[in-house]
Amino acid sequence: MLYTYLGFFGFTLLVIFYTSYKLRKDKFTTSEGYFLAGKSLSGPIIAGSMILTNISTEHLIGMNGSSYENGIIVIAWEVTSAIALVIAAIFFIPKFLKMGLTTIPEFLEKRFDGAIRSIVAFLLMSSFVITLLPIVLYSGAINIESVFDFSHMFGISNEASLVYTVLTIGVIGAFYAVFGGLKAIAYSDSLNGVGLMLGGLLIPAIALYQIGNGDIFNGLSTVYNFAPAKFDIIGKPDSVLPFSVLFTGLMINQLYFWGMNQSIIQRAFGAKNLVEAQKGLIYTGVLKLFVPIIIVLPGLIAFYYFQDQYYETPDLIYPLLVKKVLPTYLYGFFAAIILGAVLSTFNSVLNSASTIFCLDIYKKIIDKDASDAKLVKYGKLSSVVLAAIAIIVAPFVAYAPDGLYMLLQELNGIFFIPISSIIIAGIFFKRINAKGAKAGLFFGFTFYILTTFVLDINIHFVHLWGIEFVLNFIIMFLVSKYTTSKKRETYKEKSTQEKPWSAVNMAGATLVFLTILIYVLLS
């Protein structure tokens, strides 16, 4: 147990000291400094922060649980992200940076009107606090509990232990987000990202080494031959994630998440310049092609060890695998990595939520003349309140019927698809006006809730995303055609001589090719 605590506190303190050293001269007295890291982030730092904001315990637990149950087909959630990141790097981020954006809702006001900015800001804050943050906290608590076994240590029930762990992680995360701002989050993410990659790779590497009697590739062959059907990347029409969804709603979701999602794209808004922003997005795309080794492969290995014993509780499979293959002296290091991944996502999303509250709601609606110092103050206060709400909601995640990751994706659809449709309309279709955008937003929000959670419609929810996206555009075009509203398509862009990264097109084409190649090789 001594090694566990040494490893845990050793790595955790390393991250704290590294981040403190990097921020020793920063005071965060301006809103740009606090919310956008003073426009100082480089490509590698952006990529590291994006990956850590994206990959947390809901992936380690949820995705591995899903691959254990459903096979490698769930890899689509990850590898198709590379294509979305290429599109974001080439088309979205140059426009957003030219407009001098701090938040995504700000774009909607410049393109449409202030009302739609406020509506979307409220929806985004709701999506962060009610869906993502509670799932991150709860899944993190499961992993931390699996390592330290607090329930046994303190003689309490497992449920009580998880609640206390959620509370502890939430308080630590809120403290970090409040006093550090985006720059602290980004730098700690970069180090935690290295830890996550190393620690995450340890699990499948050790497992395959053991299975293959000292030969990792022999171990992989053994796992494949044990259940080749689990490695079918195309799957069947009734699979948990049919191959056909790649051509309906999945790519829309990916475009939103990587090109329009505040908690992700805010890192690119904090870039030194356009070149570093584009590099950050492309580097993230490269990392996403390797991430399945950490969040999909272990689930397939777990099926070799446990067969279908845990089909009813797939979210337990990753902690079980960790305990089975990881030497006890590495438990502490692994727990520190898990905590870092949880805090990274929690802090990042909390920072984005407070950014949206301060700039899109407080300054626009409550106090239009708020000073920078006041915005930073309310940014910190809103982080505390939002964190408290997420902590309260987190224990209810235990009642998710289909596993954490699928629950997260289903809930994300409530917000992602309607918002992505109006942002894409705002960027590419000048004919769509503010009334049309509002109608599309309201229709999409209502349509998805009814078809997914109220009516018993036998259509995969990702296909519903695609159907909803098309219907949203039909509604927007029709309403825009027969109504008039103040046109905002001539929004101002900053006069800038910034040139894009000269290699962005070549790097992007390479990433798209590699994504397609993965499907060809695994089909």
Side-chain angles (χ1 to χ4, degrees), residues 191 241 254 269 506 520:
L191 192 55
L241 195 68
Q254 302 290 48
F269 289 169
M506 178 60 71
V520 171

Side-chain angles (χ1 to χ4, degrees), residues 99-298:
M99 294 175 70
L101 299 185
T102 304
T103 70
I104 289 297
E106 187 181 353
F107 166 79
L108 295 173
E109 180 178 32
K110 292 186 176 186
R111 174 60 177 84
F112 297 117
D113 62 25
I116 201 165
R117 175 181 184 174
S118 300
I119 293 168
V120 169
F122 176 77
L123 289 176
L124 286 175
M125 284 181 59
S126 300
S127 74
F128 291 155
V129 177
I130 298 173
T131 62
L132 180 55
L133 289 179
I135 289 175
V136 168
L137 284 177
Y138 184 75
S139 58
I142 290 176
N143 250 326
I144 297 294
E145 163 66 18
S146 73
V147 172
F148 289 106
D149 199 8
F150 292 128
S151 55
H152 182 265
M153 185 185 300
F154 295 109
I156 57 177
S157 68
N158 185 259
E159 291 76 13
S161 176
L162 287 175
V163 170
Y164 290 133
T165 307
V166 161
L167 179 61
T168 303
I169 295 172
V171 170
I172 294 171
F175 183 86
Y176 206 89
V178 165
F179 291 103
L182 180 63
K183 193 169 184 178
I185 293 166
Y187 275 102
S188 62
D189 282 356
S190 62
L191 192 55
N192 277 322
V194 174
L196 180 65
M197 288 296 176
L198 292 176
L201 287 170
L202 269 178
I203 305 304
I206 293 173
L208 293 176
Y209 183 85
Q210 292 173 352
I211 293 169
N213 296 316
D215 186 336
I216 288 178
F217 292 104
N218 184 49
L220 183 60
S221 177
T222 302
V223 171
Y224 173 82
N225 290 325
F226 180 77
K230 290 284 184 183
F231 287 81
D232 179 10
I233 200 170
I234 303 299
K236 299 175 182 177
D238 61 348
S239 298
V240 68
L241 195 68
F243 180 70
S244 55
V245 301
L246 271 69
F247 308 100
T248 57
L250 184 60
M251 282 309 302
I252 298 164
N253 174 76
Q254 302 290 48
L255 280 175
Y256 173 82
F257 188 86
W258 293 104
M260 311 171 214
N261 180 5
Q262 181 69 29
S263 65
I264 293 292
I265 208 67
Q266 189 170 335
R267 280 104 196 90
F269 289 169
K272 293 177 182 177
N273 50 48
L274 175 58
V275 170
E276 293 302 316
Q278 289 180 313
K279 284 181 179 179
L281 289 168
I282 294 297
Y283 295 164
T284 305
V286 174
L287 292 173
K288 288 296 283 184
L289 295 183
F290 291 95
V291 161
I293 299 174
I294 296 172
I295 65 173
V296 175
L297 181 57

Side-chain angles (χ1 to χ4, degrees), residues 63-75:
M63 276 288 280
N64 277 309
S66 189
S67 67
Y68 157 76
E69 188 178 7
N70 303 295
I72 202 171
I73 195 168
V74 298
I75 200 176

Side-chain angles (χ1 to χ4, degrees), residues 421-422 425 432 436-437 440 472-481:
S421 65
I422 63 172
I432 292 177
N472 286 354
F473 265 89
I474 292 172
I475 295 291
M476 285 190 284
F477 274 115
L478 287 175
V479 172
S480 297
K481 182 177 180 180

Side-chain angles (χ1 to χ4, degrees), residues 40-62:
S40 64
L41 303 181
S42 63
I45 295 294
I46 291 168
S49 187
M50 280 186 168
I51 282 291
L52 258 290
T53 299
N54 172 229
I55 303 299
S56 189
T57 45
E58 82 278 7
H59 282 77
L60 289 171
I61 287 181

